[in-house]
Amino acid sequence: MTPDWSLESSAAQLQTAVGTTTSVAALLRDANRDITSCNSAQQHALPENYDRTDYPLTSGQILHSTEKFCWDSGDSKVDYWIPQGVTGSSDADDDGLWGENRILLVSWHYKAAGPDKGVRISFVDVKNRKYRHVLLVEPTANANYKAVPIHAGGLAWLGHHLYVADTDGGLRVFDVERLLEVSDAQDSIGKSGGNYYAHNYKYVLPQVGWYRQPVQAEDCEPSASQLCFSSLSLDRSTTPDTLVVGEYRNERSTDAAVDGGRVVRYRVDASSRRLVLTNGKAVPQDVVTVPRSNLQGVQTWENRYYLGRSSNRNHSWMHSGVLNGTTDSHSWAIGGEDLYHEHGPGITAGKLWTVTEHAWTEDKSTFIDRRAIFAVPLSEIG
């Protein structure tokens, strides 16, 4: 992939025009929504409530969440914002905190008629059980910005850089130290008159960089020449850390170069938290083709691969194993998405998080209430 940091100057210009930046800590103090305990319908999405009789599992294959919460009633039900990616302060810093705060970030992509509002990020203060949405924006000419109309299926927080998966294009990078406060009084995007607006959101997070893959096509289809950037995670058990890209494929391919999708890892520079370059390009450290399809989230840790599968509105499976070894299968969520490993003390094995996406039946006729955020101990998976 080709790095491009040309948006940094535009982001700086935008910052000057809008005013001073807002810190993550200040944003959390201004959090305006409460996370809630999950109701029975939402808990049904969790892996401990696996109920499939067509693919029965033994009791030893049933995973159990040890931490979970749900959104407020509006976000649990909204059908045009759909949760996708997850990361947190454990990716960002060794002690697992950003400043004094334990934080989860969740991306939501917009799916409705009319102008595409792009992607919002939920900044979740886990201790105080509060959160606030922030709109991602791409700086443009003349100290302005526009929405970021991507799926945002994966997130990874590296230092002050937030990496966001762009399915067709590669990776977009945003700077959490450039959070900006704008007017929330108007459902429009960018500057209008003397004010900046962001579709009624009070805060925006500007893009500062890209990693662009050479072949880009809308509606990405996995092939030997194009990787689909479907999910994202960070492996802190490697030296240096590696950014893990997961590729979603609906069913397995007859193309051996693709099969069920690929897991691609890139080395991360320890000081800059940018991808390591070879001859000016971000080149994969390794590429693994997996014999499992419909993978919504991928994490690696100490040479083991964790593959979270989706099965529409049914419970699915967490597959795990080492290269060229046997694969273990456990219960997984209904509508599980991206994966995030919140490491333990001293960067040891900790908890594997995901967010579930389904609020409605596929035709949107019936509210099924299956959105939740939960974590399972990595040790329980293997």
Side-chain angles (χ1 to χ4, degrees):
M1 294 186 293
T2 302
D4 179 355
W5 296 94
S6 61
L7 285 178
E8 282 191 309
S9 59
S10 298
Q13 185 183 21
L14 177 63
Q15 179 180 330
T16 300
V18 173
T20 57
T21 57
T22 298
S23 68
V24 173
L27 172 75
L28 295 178
R29 288 194 296 270
D30 197 28
N32 60 345
R33 303 183 187 220
D34 297 310
I35 61 175
T36 65
S37 299
C38 300
N39 63 36
S40 58
Q42 293 161 343
Q43 290 194 51
H44 183 68
L46 304 179
E48 57 261 40
N49 295 314
Y50 183 90
D51 61 358
R52 294 186 64 162
T53 57
D54 54 342
Y55 294 98
L57 298 177
T58 67
S59 59
Q61 292 176 287
I62 304 299
L63 297 177
H64 301 83
S65 61
T66 54
E67 191 168 359
K68 56 183 174 289
F69 64 85
C70 286
W71 307 107
D72 73 7
S73 58
D75 288 328
S76 292
K77 195 168 187 177
V78 64
D79 64 353
Y80 49 85
W81 285 109
I82 304 171
Q84 295 293 309
V86 61
T87 183
S89 49
S90 179
D91 276 354
D93 208 346
D94 290 356
D95 66 1
L97 305 175
W98 187 256
E100 298 179 354
N101 301 109
R102 180 181 174 221
I103 305 170
L104 289 174
L105 304 185
V106 174
S107 62
W108 306 62
H109 80 86
Y110 188 76
K111 188 176 182 180
D116 192 337
K117 298 180 182 182
V119 177
R120 68 183 189 183
I121 303 291
S122 302
F123 281 72
V124 181
D125 182 339
V126 179
K127 179 181 178 180
N128 293 317
R129 298 180 64 80
K130 304 280 286 187
Y131 68 100
R132 187 164 198 130
H133 300 309
V134 173
L135 196 72
L136 296 186
V137 296
E138 179 186 333
T140 60
N142 302 316
N144 211 338
Y145 56 77
K146 60 184 180 181
V148 180
I150 61 174
H151 194 75
L155 299 176
W157 187 358
L158 284 66
H160 62 92
H161 291 138
L162 177 63
Y163 286 71
V164 180
D166 180 341
T167 312
D168 304 323
L171 300 171
R172 296 185 186 231
V173 187
F174 299 78
D175 190 344
V176 300
E177 294 182 345
R178 291 189 185 274
L179 274 167
L180 299 174
E181 181 177 344
V182 298
S183 173
D184 59 1
Q186 189 168 300
D187 187 10
S188 63
I189 188 74
K191 189 174 184 179
S192 178
N195 293 315
Y196 286 90
Y197 301 98
H199 294 303
N200 297 124
Y201 291 101
K202 187 177 179 181
Y203 297 97
V204 298
L205 184 61
Q207 183 177 345
V208 294
W210 307 75
Y211 288 92
R212 304 176 192 264
Q213 66 170 335
V215 177
Q216 299 184 29
E218 292 186 10
D219 301 320
C220 184
E221 183 69 23
S223 68
S225 61
Q226 184 178 25
L227 176 70
C228 299
F229 288 72
S230 305
S231 66
L232 205 57
S233 63
L234 182 67
D235 186 346
R236 305 202 67 191
S237 70
T238 58
T239 303
D241 294 349
T242 44
L243 192 65
V244 184
V245 175
E247 181 178 57
Y248 176 90
R249 177 173 172 80
N250 185 20
E251 306 304 334
R252 295 177 67 178
S253 172
T254 56
D255 182 351
V258 174
D259 199 353
R262 288 162 289 190
V263 179
V264 181
R265 300 195 296 180
Y266 297 88
R267 291 174 297 152
V268 176
D269 183 87
S271 57
S272 70
R273 307 310 279 162
R274 297 182 179 185
L275 301 187
V276 173
L277 303 182
T278 301
N279 297 323
K281 305 285 186 182
V283 179
Q285 172 182 287
D286 49 45
V287 180
V288 174
T289 303
V290 294
R292 297 287 189 275
S293 66
N294 301 73
L295 300 180
Q296 296 280 12
V298 174
Q299 176 75 58
T300 62
W301 178 261
E302 293 186 345
N303 298 315
R304 192 171 183 88
Y305 286 69
Y306 299 87
L307 313 172
R309 191 184 193 278
S310 67
S311 299
N312 203 331
R313 268 73 176 170
N314 300 307
H315 282 100
S316 197
W317 307 282
M318 168 60 66
H319 303 296
S320 64
V322 298
L323 290 180
N324 303 313
T326 59
T327 300
D328 296 328
S329 296
H330 292 83
S331 64
W332 201 231
I334 296 175
E337 291 291 312
D338 193 32
L339 300 180
Y340 157 56
H341 178 225
E342 183 179 28
H343 63 72
I347 313 185
T348 54
K351 302 175 181 179
L352 195 63
W353 287 86
T354 194
V355 58
T356 65
E357 67 173 335
H358 296 311
W360 296 82
T361 54
E362 196 164 4
D363 62 4
K364 293 189 177 181
S365 64
T366 304
F367 179 53
I368 57 174
D369 201 10
R370 297 290 191 262
R371 286 183 181 162
I373 307 95
F374 71 88
V376 170
L378 207 65
S379 59
E380 187 175 357
I381 305 172

